[in-house]
């Protein structure tokens, strides 16, 4: 494997020195491009109180292409599908090399606070979110309690 | 946002495996420092890298035009009294005084090799997302 680019080393050091509030991202012992991530559910969201595990991988041509990020913890959210894949523009066509691991994780945290059922990835979830938001939020809280607490 | 439902059906669950598979499809793994020595890979769109001989004529024309426009973007020596950025946001390495940097029309600066690598994928400024070609044409009009 090629040597680790200076940028990845710097980003990792800065993440360790100044962690993002509510987010932990730790590189894997055997692969410095693979990060174990934990995002705490934002306050005043249906995910409050939950700890959500994610995996983040920096591809070979990072930062020219976006990190690959996936939820490992099950989550009831219109923009996250059952495999944990995330519908977020900056992970796809709006990626820019000026963005970083830090900004990506902040955007994911923001997506938890502001679900967008008009741009769905999980269609059934988005559908309910639009028709009956109260019930959707109840489901999201239920899943948070069931899958994102005490683990 | 959007386009998230497109082409997601055959994606793999594991990110690591997905990465291995996509590098197989690209024939050789792409390493920014060394891919220029091999068959050059071009990006008609940011997430679609293909060797030069697998591009359509239209894509070749678009890429050639882009390379032509890039030559109009000035390269100047870095001056820490003018430039407020101390490091290149792409590689995160500090600029050295007198080092050659490329200026985009929005006045954001980057190392030449860093920004050229990006502009070949997306003709936008990484910092402000301003389309470079539109800004170039505007600057022609006003001059």
């Amino acid at each position: 494997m090629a040597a680790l680019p200076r940028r990845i080393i710097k980003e990792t050091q800065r993440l360790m020195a100044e962690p993002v509030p509510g987010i932990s991202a730790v590189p894997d012992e055997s692969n410095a491009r693979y990060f174990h991530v934990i995002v705490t559910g934002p306050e005043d969201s249906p995910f409050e109180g939950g700890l959500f595990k994610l995996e983040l991988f920096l591809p070979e041509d990072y930062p020219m292409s976006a990190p690959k990020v996936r939820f490992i913890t099950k989550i009831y959210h219109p923009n996250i599908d059952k495999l944990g894949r995330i519908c977020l523009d900056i992970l796809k066509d709006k990626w820019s090399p000026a963005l970083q691991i830090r900004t990506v994780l902040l955007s994911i945290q923001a997506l938890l606070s502001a679900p967008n059922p008009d741009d769905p990835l999980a269609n059934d979830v988005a559908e309910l979110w639009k028709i009956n938001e109260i019930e959707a939020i109840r489901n999201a809280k239920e899943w948070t309690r069931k899958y994102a607490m005490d683990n | 946002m959007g386009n998230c439902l497109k082409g997601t059906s055959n994606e793999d669950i594991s990110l690591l495996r997905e990465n291995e598979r996509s590098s197989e499809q690209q024939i050789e793994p792409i390493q920014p420092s060394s891919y220029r020595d091999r068959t050059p890979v071009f990006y008609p769109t940011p997430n679609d890298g293909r060797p030069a001989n697998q591009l359509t004529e239209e894509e070749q024309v678009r890429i050639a035009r882009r390379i032509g426009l890039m030559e109009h973007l000035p390269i100047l020596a870095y001056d820490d009294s003018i430039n407020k950025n101390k490091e290149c946001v792409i590689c995160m390495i500090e600029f050295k005084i007198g080092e050659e940097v490329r200026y985009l029309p929005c006045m954001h600066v980057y190392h030449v090799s860093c920004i050229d690598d990006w502009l070949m994928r997306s003709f936008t400024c990484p910092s402000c997302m301003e389309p470079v070609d539109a800004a170039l044409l505007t600057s022609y009009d006003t001059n």
Side-chain angles (χ1 to χ4, degrees):
Chain A
M1 193 168 225
L4 207 59
R6 199 98 64 89
R7 157 144 180 176
I8 296 181
I9 297 168
K10 276 204 179 173
E11 271 201 74
T12 308
Q13 285 170 347
R14 288 177 193 176
L15 272 172
M16 298 298 151
E18 304 157 54
V20 193
I23 296 173
S24 107
V26 182
D28 188 83
E29 280 174 15
S30 62
N31 184 353
R33 287 177 177 271
Y34 184 93
F35 288 75
H36 302 270
V37 178
I38 296 172
V39 173
T40 55
E43 275 176 38
D44 301 321
S45 80
F47 312 103
E48 186 174 353
L51 292 178
F52 296 89
K53 282 188 200 163
L54 294 88
E55 58 180 2
L56 181 148
F57 181 72
L58 303 175
E60 190 61 45
D61 55 355
Y62 179 81
M64 291 300 151
S65 61
K68 294 174 182 295
V69 198
R70 185 179 79 91
F71 273 81
I72 295 170
T73 305
K74 267 172 80 93
I75 181 166
Y76 194 87
H77 190 290
N79 311 107
I80 301 162
D81 75 3
K82 61 180 192 300
L83 298 178
R85 296 176 301 196
I86 307 162
C87 183
L88 187 61
D89 52 359
I90 60 159
L91 293 176
K92 306 260 161 50
D93 54 327
K94 292 292 190 311
W95 170 252
S96 144
L99 297 170
Q100 304 177 19
I101 299 171
R102 173 185 298 273
T103 39
V104 163
L105 295 177
L106 280 168
S107 300
I108 292 171
Q109 204 180 34
L111 189 66
L112 296 187
S113 292
N116 178 8
D118 294 320
D119 183 25
L121 189 57
N123 269 322
D124 49 335
V125 178
E127 206 52 41
L128 186 63
W129 216 285
K130 280 197 277 194
I131 306 168
N132 188 345
E133 197 179 347
I134 294 171
E135 196 188 328
I137 288 174
R138 201 188 305 136
N139 286 348
K141 283 183 180 164
E142 173 67 21
W143 281 38
T144 302
R145 205 164 41 78
K146 215 159 133 187
Y147 303 112
M149 292 183 187
D150 306 319
N151 52 2
Chain B
M1 293 222 189
N3 301 330
C4 288
L5 288 170
K6 262 193 230 162
T8 53
S9 54
N10 57 358
E11 265 181 43
D12 215 286
I13 299 173
S14 162
L15 298 170
L16 287 169
R17 268 186 281 143
E18 182 183 303
N19 185 63
E20 281 165 15
R21 194 188 51 195
S22 66
S23 19
E24 277 164 26
Q25 282 169 350
Q26 283 159 348
I27 300 165
E28 329 181 287
I30 299 167
Q31 290 167 14
S33 53
S34 61
Y35 72 74
R36 283 183 201 83
D37 311 333
R38 307 176 191 172
T39 313
V41 172
F42 291 98
Y43 291 82
T45 57
N47 298 316
D48 174 21
R50 271 177 277 145
N53 57 7
Q54 288 174 26
L55 297 170
T56 67
E57 197 168 309
E58 192 193 331
E59 286 166 348
Q60 289 177 30
V61 169
R62 200 180 333 139
I63 286 162
R65 187 179 297 148
R66 183 177 293 190
I67 293 170
L69 284 172
M70 279 163 65
E71 284 173 14
H72 290 277
L73 300 168
I75 297 175
L76 296 168
Y78 177 78
D79 179 342
D80 66 342
S81 63
I82 301 170
N83 303 117
K84 61 178 198 293
N85 269 17
K86 296 283 172 261
E87 65 176 36
C88 173
V89 298
I90 298 178
C91 64
M92 291 189 168
I93 293 170
E94 281 184 24
F95 293 119
K96 296 182 199 73
I97 294 166
E99 188 173 24
E100 285 193 331
V101 290
R102 196 182 289 280
Y103 276 73
L104 298 192
C106 50
M107 299 305 282
H108 287 114
V109 302
Y110 307 91
H111 288 124
V112 179
S113 63
C114 294
I115 191 62
D116 286 6
D117 207 356
W118 172 249
L119 292 177
M120 288 301 292
R121 293 162 184 257
S122 170
F123 216 40
T124 54
C125 173
S127 300
C128 65
M129 306 303 278
E130 187 177 6
V132 175
D133 47 358
L136 264 181
L137 294 174
T138 314
S139 66
Y140 284 140
D141 289 345
T142 49
N143 291 341

